[in-house]
Amino acid sequence: MIAYLDGTLAYKEASYAIIDIQGLGYEVFISLQTYSTLPGGGAPVKLFIHHNFREDNQTLFGFASADEKSLFRELIAVSGVGPNTALGMLSAMSPQDLRLAIMSENVRAVQAIKGIGAKTAQRIILELKDKMKKSGLLPDTPTYRQQAGNPVREEALAALVALGFPRPSAEKSVDDILNADSSLSVEDIIRKALR
């Protein structure tokens, strides 16, 4: 099993990267979260790997952090959630936000991810919420507690994504705005994010 790859970034796209390790190129499928952290081509890079074996092929899934890899593995353990679906979920939401949505039983937030229906969202929450609460991986800070299931945050985020903002940058922008002033309306948050 491959636990991580530490080499040179030979090539990257939004869905995959090629990591060169002493002349051998490894194709690794990645989330948008990981993509946003990757350096430019030719730079050193380390990705945590989930090595997926199937009858007809082997696939490498890479993550910028061990936390993202851990959440990926928890997601694919849920019945009906395959590696590509889990990767799509991690592309749509940061690991922290996805954990918050699951722990706060926010079915709407999980269901808003492309390819996740109501039943799958409910199954993910049912199977993972207690496990995540016991693991204690989620930072226990007022910011995260206040944002768990925050409808104003979710609505502003959805609007920015609909306007074409990449989800990771929209999340950071909305969170920064809410951290500065948590009493803002959805419209105010969107206005500030567009500046």
Side-chain angles (χ1 to χ4, degrees):
M1 294 288 282
I2 298 173
Y4 68 86
L5 293 175
D6 194 349
T8 304
L9 182 64
Y11 182 77
K12 70 175 180 177
E13 278 193 13
S15 60
Y16 76 96
I18 297 175
I19 311 299
D20 181 299
I21 299 176
Q22 298 179 358
L24 184 60
Y26 291 88
E27 182 180 52
V28 181
F29 293 95
I30 57 174
S31 69
L32 288 175
Q33 302 290 329
T34 294
Y35 175 78
S36 68
T37 68
L38 290 178
V45 68
K46 179 177 181 177
L47 291 179
F48 295 90
I49 301 297
H50 171 78
H51 197 166
N52 192 50
F53 290 93
R54 287 182 41 198
E55 299 169 1
D56 54 348
N57 73 355
Q58 295 181 39
T59 310
L60 301 177
F61 294 92
F63 307 95
S65 69
D67 179 48
E68 189 179 13
K69 176 183 173 180
S70 172
L71 182 53
F72 174 84
R73 286 186 163 174
E74 289 176 1
L75 290 168
I76 62 174
V78 175
S79 174
V81 178
N84 291 330
T85 301
L87 203 61
M89 293 178 75
L90 289 167
S91 291
M93 297 177 85
S94 71
Q96 295 87 352
D97 286 343
L98 187 50
R99 276 199 177 89
L100 281 171
I102 292 168
M103 290 171 63
S104 63
E105 301 180 44
N106 189 342
V107 176
R108 281 184 26 179
V110 177
Q111 188 181 345
I113 299 169
K114 185 179 177 185
I116 303 295
K119 286 184 180 179
T120 303
Q122 290 168 349
R123 190 179 320 115
I124 290 167
I125 290 169
L126 181 68
E127 291 188 28
L128 295 181
K129 69 176 179 176
D130 291 334
K131 188 186 294 186
M132 288 181 179
K133 287 176 182 175
K134 287 178 188 171
S135 72
L137 286 174
L138 189 68
D140 188 25
T141 63
T143 300
Y144 286 120
R145 280 199 305 273
Q146 114 193 7
Q147 291 174 4
N150 181 342
V152 172
R153 177 185 184 273
E154 294 303 320
E155 197 174 330
L157 199 51
L160 290 171
V161 170
L163 288 171
F165 282 79
R167 185 158 185 109
S169 64
E171 284 177 345
K172 182 177 180 343
S173 182
V174 169
D175 289 345
D176 289 347
I177 292 165
L178 282 172
N179 287 340
D181 184 357
S182 61
S183 66
L184 293 172
S185 68
V186 173
E187 294 80 13
D188 292 334
I189 294 168
I190 294 169
R191 270 192 221 103
K192 284 180 177 278
L194 292 174
R195 286 188 192 148

